[in-house]
Amino acid sequence: MIEFLFLDLDDTILDFHKAERLAVGKTLEQFGVRPTEQVLSTYHEINMRHWEMLERGELTRDQVLVNRFGVLFETLGVQADPERCARAYEHNLGIGHYFLPGAEEAVKRLHEKYRLFLASNGTASVQHSRMTSAGLYPYFEQVFISQKLGYNKPSKEYFDACYAQIPDFDPKKALMVGDSLTSDILGGINGGMATCWVNPGHKKADKIIPDYEIENITQLEALLETL
């Protein structure tokens, strides 16, 4: 029986793609770049590559946050300061929140039956701002942000650091739920717990195989009742 739920935040509970799109667009406009569809798509691809390098331990967090804009500006042939841009983006991203459909109600219901923990690789100040705006803190026993722990998902060290702060924790009674195979699902596997992949696009898992799969977090309660 599952007792402990580790939930990812971005694109599991909150709509990060919408928040990112708006924040990137606003930031680029501040630096004189028109955020066309092509520009936003280019940023998204560069950003994804940088976070994957972080997960593999090839870049530090600070390098990711700044270098992604440096690479974007170089690709676009734009003369702009990537460090200043990174600071502006973090500020814009932290403004407001956008729940995925049904996610807020799902978290409230899960909170009544399970011990909830948030597990995120996001920047601490941004996640704190968004969680506060969304009113999510009361539903989580603890919030584990990689920047504060000193380790990133999917490393075993990240989850070991989380477990050390949870009284009476048993990984055999825990489930990691998130949208990223390389961060959430591999992280849960490395942490020795069962995993559930939030997969609204019905993508096909290849080398990293989750134990369970749902389209969105609103389906999680029904799944848990069968375990």
Side-chain angles (χ1 to χ4, degrees):
M1 179 182 235
I2 298 297
E3 179 180 346
F4 308 89
L5 286 180
F6 279 71
L7 303 180
D8 177 48
L9 181 64
D10 290 321
D11 291 327
T12 299
I13 299 171
L14 297 184
D15 189 337
F16 180 75
H17 284 299
K18 180 177 181 178
E20 177 190 48
R21 182 182 180 85
L22 292 172
V24 170
K26 182 176 180 179
T27 303
L28 292 179
E29 285 181 339
Q30 290 176 288
F31 285 78
V33 178
R34 196 158 76 81
T36 64
E37 288 296 325
Q38 184 174 353
V39 167
L40 292 175
S41 177
T42 299
Y43 169 81
H44 180 70
E45 292 173 6
I46 292 170
N47 183 54
M48 287 293 292
R49 289 201 303 268
H50 277 68
W51 282 104
E52 288 169 359
M53 286 188 280
L54 174 76
E55 292 168 5
R56 295 193 298 266
E58 297 170 4
L59 291 177
T60 67
R61 174 177 300 278
D62 288 342
Q63 287 173 327
V64 169
L65 299 182
V66 175
N67 290 3
R68 57 186 175 178
F69 287 106
V71 173
L72 177 65
F73 291 148
E74 183 178 351
T75 301
L76 298 177
V78 172
Q79 295 294 321
D81 184 344
E83 290 190 12
R84 286 184 55 234
C85 186
R87 290 195 295 270
Y89 170 71
E90 295 294 317
H91 171 75
N92 292 331
L93 186 61
I95 299 172
H97 65 275
Y98 309 94
F99 276 106
L100 289 168
E104 183 176 13
E105 295 75 15
V107 170
K108 290 178 181 179
R109 291 195 303 271
L110 291 166
H111 166 70
E112 296 172 357
K113 299 180 180 180
Y114 305 93
R115 295 174 65 181
L116 303 190
F117 302 88
L118 191 99
S120 173
N121 271 350
T123 303
S125 60
V126 172
Q127 301 303 58
H128 172 69
S129 177
R130 295 168 71 225
M131 286 194 66
T132 300
S133 173
L136 283 170
Y137 274 109
Y139 303 111
F140 290 89
E141 189 170 319
Q142 293 202 58
V143 172
F144 298 117
I145 306 295
S146 60
Q147 189 177 26
K148 289 190 173 183
L149 287 181
Y151 303 102
N152 299 307
K153 292 185 295 182
S155 72
K156 182 178 183 298
E157 290 82 1
Y158 172 90
F159 288 95
D160 286 344
C162 295
Y163 299 166
Q165 300 180 49
I166 304 174
D168 305 316
F169 180 75
D170 182 354
K172 294 180 181 178
K173 298 180 180 179
L175 181 70
M176 176 71 223
V177 182
D179 68 294
S180 171
L181 286 174
T182 57
S183 176
D184 303 313
I185 304 309
L186 181 58
I189 293 170
N190 290 340
M193 61 175 140
T195 59
C196 179
W197 186 25
V198 179
N199 182 23
H202 301 282
K203 299 176 184 176
K204 193 166 184 179
D206 185 8
K207 296 179 181 179
I208 303 170
I209 307 299
D211 295 291
Y212 310 101
E213 186 176 327
I214 55 178
E215 288 186 1
N216 56 68
I217 198 172
T218 63
Q219 299 173 343
L220 181 58
E221 186 176 10
L223 170 66
L224 289 166
E225 290 175 356
T226 69
L227 304 183

